[in-house]
Amino acid sequence: GMFVLGLPYAILHGGYLGLFLIIFAAVVCCYTGKILIACLYEENEDGEIVRVRDSYVDIANACCAPRFPTLGGRIVNVAQIIELVMTCILYVVVSGNLMYNSFPNLPVSQKSWSIIATAVLLPCAFLKNLKAVSKFSLLCTLAHFVINILVIAYCLSRARDWAWDKVKFYIDVKKFPISIGIIVFSYTSQIFLPSLEGNMQNPKEFHCMMNWTHIAACILKGLFALVAYLTWADETKEVITDNLPSTIRAVVNIFLVAKALLSYPLPFFAAVEVLERSLFQDGNRAFFPNCYGGDGRLKSWGLTLRCALVVFTLLMAIYVPHFALLMGLTGSLTGAGLCFLLPSLFHLKLLWRKLLWHHVFFDVAIFVIGGICSVSGFIHSLEGLIEAFRTNAED
């Protein structure tokens, strides 16, 4: 998706190790996706495997029961909301960044472009179901094909000048943990998997689907990152399209902005659903009254809250306008937690008695490595953001 644009920046600070991490993250995310789905099932009295849970939240609650029956679900909900809202913020950030770099001669700042993008996104507050969101997603996919073809075609046209000698085995110790967060964030899909598997016509094909989708994603992301880095080497920027010549850049960036704006409704709608379900629709345990009236219509104050969420993403995009650093921070904070730490922990907790020794080894290893990467990536991304703020303040 959109965040593939940050992968060449990860190669800049990681070299061949960055490419290895793209492969490694695909393998680990594929595995943790499978074990997460395994946690939805249990063996009944007849020895049959049946689905007893429906969502990531149900798995988390089962792990914390009976002492804290809702604690796990709340932790997962908070992580999901952070990831989804941060994704929305990234779309606003990248829209402002791309428009500013496409038309540098116009007297419009990056913040102003972000405000214009948000004004276009305000109607998202009226979205009621996934049917409308799916139409935006279809157009988004078409735009993405055009972008990839244009960028890769330009890179291939400069194949004679590719800087193979620039791809090395050394890493930038200070900035490489940020690259880890970027790579992890580009694979995050675990929060959607329980719903996806539950809606498959043949759930038995889930493992096959996971294998082929992650193989395809790994190959495409690895090739895109390597080809783009070989083209610009040490001049590779946070958003790779900023490296393109001005004539091509303007065309590609317009498609990218369209893709970002069309991508925004899905995470926004998902975030709204999680918020409404956990805070407004959780039966007697709801913190606030329902957003919907008896006729199913959205109440005025519910619409106001949705608009406030759109405005919040704008404010964050204005005050934290650093695409790669923000993506690294999100990937390290929630991406690693939802993709690496929690699935392996839940798998050990719920299926401990049935696991073979190598499954236990994999789960423990993923938890430890994921924890180290998450902490180091979060710290270095935060340091990078603080340093960027200081530089802006001095300027």
Side-chain angles (χ1 to χ4, degrees):
M2 193 79 182
F3 308 111
V4 172
L5 300 174
L7 291 180
Y9 186 76
I11 304 299
L12 172 66
H13 298 300
Y16 284 110
L17 188 56
L19 283 173
F20 169 77
L21 268 175
I22 291 174
I23 300 170
F24 179 75
V27 173
V28 173
C29 286
C30 183
Y31 173 76
T32 56
K34 292 176 182 177
I35 63 175
L36 184 68
I37 296 305
C39 293
L40 296 172
Y41 292 83
E42 283 188 5
E43 193 174 301
N44 63 12
E45 296 176 353
D46 299 325
E48 298 175 345
I49 302 298
V50 293
R51 202 176 202 260
V52 295
R53 303 177 188 98
D54 293 319
S55 66
Y56 208 140
V57 171
D58 291 341
I59 296 171
N61 285 334
C63 286
C64 294
R67 280 191 171 186
F68 308 101
T70 61
L71 177 63
R74 288 177 181 175
I75 292 172
V76 169
N77 272 336
V78 169
Q80 286 180 338
I81 290 168
I82 291 173
E83 177 152 324
L84 291 166
V85 172
M86 289 290 271
T87 303
C88 293
I89 293 166
L90 280 166
Y91 285 134
V92 179
V93 169
V94 80
S95 296
N97 177 284
L98 292 169
M99 292 303 293
Y100 178 71
N101 286 295
S102 298
F103 306 101
N105 296 324
L106 291 179
V108 183
S109 66
Q110 182 172 331
K111 293 179 180 179
S112 299
W113 281 118
S114 295
I115 293 171
I116 294 169
T118 306
V120 175
L121 293 169
L122 268 176
C124 289
F126 296 91
L127 289 171
K128 291 185 178 181
N129 52 57
L130 276 173
K131 187 174 182 180
V133 176
S134 65
K135 294 177 181 177
F136 292 116
S137 297
L138 174 61
L139 294 173
C140 168
T141 305
L142 296 175
H144 191 62
F145 275 115
V146 175
I147 293 160
N148 280 357
I149 290 169
L150 289 173
V151 174
I152 292 174
Y154 178 79
C155 292
L156 291 175
S157 70
R158 292 185 54 187
R160 292 182 180 179
D161 302 322
W162 280 355
W164 286 99
D165 58 314
K166 294 289 184 179
V167 189
K168 299 180 180 178
F169 286 96
Y170 80 93
I171 62 171
D172 185 332
V173 178
K174 190 173 182 180
K175 293 188 176 181
F176 183 63
I178 301 172
S179 302
I180 297 173
I182 292 171
I183 292 168
V184 170
F185 192 62
S186 73
Y187 280 106
T188 53
S189 64
Q190 267 68 0
I191 58 176
F192 303 107
L193 292 182
S195 175
L196 175 65
E197 192 265 353
N199 284 283
M200 290 180 69
Q201 288 185 351
N202 187 2
K204 292 181 180 179
E205 294 180 351
F206 179 80
H207 281 214
C208 180
M209 179 275 294
M210 288 291 288
N211 290 337
W212 283 109
T213 51
H214 280 76
I215 288 170
C218 175
I219 293 171
L220 292 172
K221 288 176 182 180
L223 288 175
F224 183 89
L226 180 61
V227 166
Y229 176 73
L230 288 173
T231 304
W232 289 287
D234 294 339
E235 296 178 3
T236 301
K237 297 182 180 179
E238 288 187 22
V239 183
I240 195 61
T241 53
D242 288 346
N243 288 104
L244 291 168
S246 56
T247 50
I248 303 175
R249 187 197 314 156
V251 176
V252 172
N253 283 357
I254 288 171
F255 274 100
L256 274 170
V257 171
K259 175 176 169 51
L261 297 178
L262 291 166
S263 299
Y264 185 97
L266 180 58
F268 176 81
F269 184 78
V272 166
E273 274 201 322
V274 174
L275 284 168
E276 289 180 348
R277 186 172 59 249
S278 57
L279 298 178
F280 301 93
Q281 298 173 352
D282 198 13
N284 295 326
R285 295 177 297 175
F287 291 94
F288 305 103
N290 203 319
C291 293
Y292 297 89
D295 57 356
R297 290 186 178 182
L298 187 66
K299 294 179 180 178
S300 57
W301 66 271
L303 180 61
T304 303
L305 288 174
R306 289 184 172 206
C307 292
L309 183 58
V310 177
V311 174
F312 174 75
T313 61
L314 167 65
L315 294 175
M316 286 293 292
I318 288 175
Y319 289 106
V320 194
H322 303 283
F323 179 73
L325 293 174
L326 197 58
M327 187 162 64
L329 182 70
T330 308
S332 301
L333 182 64
T334 59
L338 292 169
C339 288
F340 296 162
L341 305 181
L342 293 181
S344 55
L345 187 64
F346 294 162
H347 196 227
L348 288 169
K349 170 71 175 176
L350 295 174
L351 301 173
W352 172 260
R353 295 179 180 178
K354 300 177 183 178
L355 297 180
L356 299 175
W357 71 267
H358 62 276
H359 289 140
V360 175
F361 174 78
F362 288 150
D363 289 350
V364 173
I366 289 170
F367 186 84
V368 173
I369 295 171
I372 294 170
C373 292
S374 178
V375 172
S376 62
F378 177 76
I379 292 171
H380 285 85
S381 296
L382 201 58
E383 287 178 350
L385 284 171
I386 293 170
E387 186 179 336
F389 276 119
R390 285 177 180 171
T391 304
N392 290 340
E394 290 173 1
D395 291 341

